[in-house]
Each structure stands twice: as C-alpha cells, then as structure tokens.
Amino acid sequence: MNGPRVLQVGALSERFNRRMAEEYGAEPYWKQADGAAFLAGHGAEFEVLVTSARFGCTEAMLAALPNLRAVCSFGVGYDAIPLGPLRQRGIPLSNTPDVLNECVADLAMGLLIDGARRIAEADRFVRAGNWRIGNFPLATRVSGKRLGIVGLGRIGQAVARRSAGFDMQVRYHNRRPVAGSPYGYAASLVELAQWADFLVLTCPGGPATHHLVNAEVLAVLGPKGLLVNVARGSVVDEAALVAALAEGRLGAAALDVFEREPQVPAALLDMPNVVLLPHVGSGTEETRLQMEELVIANLQAFIDKGELLTPV
C-alpha cells in the first residue's frame, strides 16, 4: 500500500481493526509471538504507531522504531505513553479529546447516584430474595449536596453542568484556578475533600497526579463521604482506599478505574458499599465510533499533510 507503514499496538473493535488493515495495511503487533524479536527485525519499516490509552507503548518499543514519525492514540489519557522520548525525537502524539466528554460525565453522575442511593447494592438485595425478609437500609440523598471535583477540565466541567440539575453546590481543585469559572476554587485538595459530600475525580493520570488522593484526603472525606473515580486508577492510593473502606473511615466508593487494570483488589469485591465498573467511561456505541473516526482522521491528516488534527 502507498503511504507510511503503520504498526497497531493492540486490538480495538473488529470494525476498527479491519479498517486499519484494509485501508492502511496496519501490522497487528499484538499478534506477534515475540514482539521484541519482531521489532528487532522489522522496526525500521514503521513510521506511524497506532495505540490507545490502555495499551500505550514502552520506551523500548519506541527505541526499536528508529524511523517513527507520529503516534496516534485512541483515548484521552496518555500516561501509558512515554512523552520524554517522543519530545526528544520531535515525534508528535495525538489523542481523542472532547468526543468522549459527555459519556464519561454521564457515567460519573451515574456512579455518584448509584454510590449514594445504593442502587447496585439494592439490586443485589432483590435478586438474593432478601426483600421478602425485610426492608433495604436507607441510603443518602443526592440533591442539594456538596460536590467536589478534582480536575475541572472538559470532563469535570461537564460533570459540574449535570450537577446543576440536582441543585448541588460545586467546588473544585486544580493546580490553578480556571479563569471565569463560576465554581468555588479550593487550593488544597484536603480542604475540598473536607467540605465535600461527594468527591469526583476527573483529572489526568501520570506522575503529577499519582496517589493524589491519599489516606489524608480519604480521612477528611470521611465515613459519610463518597469517592467517585472516572479518571485514572493511579490517582488514588488504592491500598489506602481499601483500608479506609474496610475500617469505616470512608463511606463508599464508585470506581470505573483501578491501579492495575484489569486486576481489582480482592477486598473490594466483597464490599457492599463499593460500585465496580470495568473502565467503561467512554463505552457507548456512539462515542467509541467517534473516537475511532478521530484516530483515523489524525492518521489520514498526517499522511496527507504531515500534521495531526488533535496533537497533545
């Protein structure tokens, strides 16, 4: 095929994989029995790397691609992609911002409502036949509560907009205040967690936010507080979270992401006050299609013009 050789790190949807193979001749790296050996023999052939926030790539992989000219990634997060080596070599990286904001914000609100009103737990209660024995315990009201948002970017702002329908007070924590924001700014995350009834994480992953939510933050969120994470598992000290929940120092958690996905701490599986989802924040037919189309649009723009449409 004409154009640069493309290496696709991991499998996405069958539709996307088929299109990448048929239209761009993409080589499926995940099908190689020995990836390192394959790159040692063929790495110099590839100019574009297609990956995702889940699969990312390693420094060793980049080093084995001496003629790499661009990386196109599926997803918003890029903490699984080593930016330092890319910048040193002047290799641009694209992601898929904006198209998933609304779905992730929808899910954050769904998790918040579920965690507070104990919907999943009540569902299990009915299925187990316990309703015939007695009434389900009382839950927590959502409307009128205090919502703390960690990371008032595009997704955080979308969550804040949705909270208006529940008459919530909103404050947020960022590295710096957002110009023109109508919401209260908390320079200290501990201060925000102490104020909030619900703490929703929508910040990026990576070294700057690693274990940002630690034992101290969880302690002040408190035994009636709810933590919702649709950001990255690395943002939360998972061991501290498990301990806080087990000891009753945190009221509940609703989680779409984990530190070592797809591994989930065994202790969380048995906790009735925890909602667990398999990282499906953008997992709708509409949004995943838009994300795929944006990856391909970035790839095509690079082939046509040598530029990416949504560079990081």
Side-chain angles (χ1 to χ4, degrees):
M1 290 189 176
N2 296 328
R5 288 293 310 278
V6 177
L7 181 66
Q8 184 181 343
V9 176
L12 295 174
S13 71
E14 290 186 17
R15 171 185 59 213
F16 181 81
N17 298 339
R18 183 171 58 251
R19 188 171 177 187
M20 288 298 299
E22 293 176 356
E23 297 183 21
Y24 298 97
E27 184 69 34
Y29 178 75
W30 72 92
K31 292 184 178 181
Q32 303 303 323
D34 187 334
F38 173 78
L39 290 180
H42 301 279
E45 300 171 14
F46 299 101
E47 296 178 72
V48 179
L49 187 72
V50 172
T51 187
S52 70
R54 174 186 173 189
F55 297 115
C57 62
T58 64
E59 290 193 34
M61 184 180 292
L62 294 179
L65 299 168
N67 296 314
L68 188 65
R69 296 169 53 210
V71 178
C72 299
S73 184
F74 175 98
V76 172
Y78 43 85
D79 44 301
I81 301 171
L83 297 183
L86 291 181
R87 288 170 176 159
Q88 289 171 7
R89 292 169 60 181
I91 299 171
L93 163 68
S94 66
N95 62 350
T96 56
D98 297 324
V99 294
L100 49 68
N101 297 348
E102 304 305 321
C103 274
V104 176
D106 288 348
L107 191 78
M109 289 302 298
L111 282 170
L112 189 157
I113 296 168
D114 193 335
R117 293 299 307 269
R118 305 169 70 172
I119 295 173
E121 185 183 353
D123 175 86
R124 294 191 295 269
F125 180 86
V126 173
R127 291 176 189 273
N130 293 330
W131 196 15
R132 294 192 298 268
I133 302 170
N135 291 328
F136 185 73
L138 297 179
T140 299
R141 177 185 293 177
V142 173
S143 296
K145 290 300 180 72
R146 297 184 296 252
L147 173 63
I149 298 176
V150 182
L152 196 71
R154 296 180 180 95
I155 295 172
Q157 291 176 35
V159 172
R161 289 196 300 273
R162 282 156 176 73
S163 75
F166 294 88
D167 297 318
M168 291 185 184
Q169 302 174 60
V170 178
R171 294 183 186 176
Y172 70 96
H173 172 73
N174 269 17
R175 286 177 295 177
R176 61 186 67 87
V178 176
S181 172
Y183 310 113
Y185 174 67
S188 162
L189 177 53
V190 170
E191 173 192 327
L192 179 66
Q194 194 166 29
W195 171 83
D197 296 304
F198 310 132
L199 191 67
V200 177
L201 311 182
T202 55
C203 55
T209 58
H210 184 261
H211 287 187
L212 183 66
V213 177
N214 56 23
E216 182 183 11
V217 172
L218 296 171
V220 297
L221 185 54
K224 292 185 178 181
L226 167 65
L227 178 73
V228 176
N229 192 1
V230 294
R232 283 290 182 269
S234 60
V235 176
V236 179
D237 182 337
E238 208 162 73
L241 173 63
V242 170
L245 288 164
E247 296 165 14
R249 292 181 285 104
L250 177 67
L255 312 169
D256 185 42
V257 290
F258 304 88
E259 277 204 84
R260 298 170 186 86
E261 296 175 4
Q263 302 300 319
V264 176
L268 294 180
L269 301 178
D270 297 324
M271 292 181 180
N273 56 336
V274 180
V275 184
L276 305 169
L277 298 185
H279 201 155
V280 291
S282 64
T284 65
E285 292 285 350
E286 299 88 343
T287 291
R288 289 290 172 85
L289 177 58
Q290 286 183 291
M291 292 169 70
E292 291 174 12
E293 290 177 339
L294 187 50
V295 172
I296 291 174
N298 271 290
L299 175 57
Q300 191 61 52
F302 185 78
I303 292 170
D304 294 341
K305 303 177 183 178
E307 299 176 355
L308 297 173
L309 298 177
T310 55
V312 171

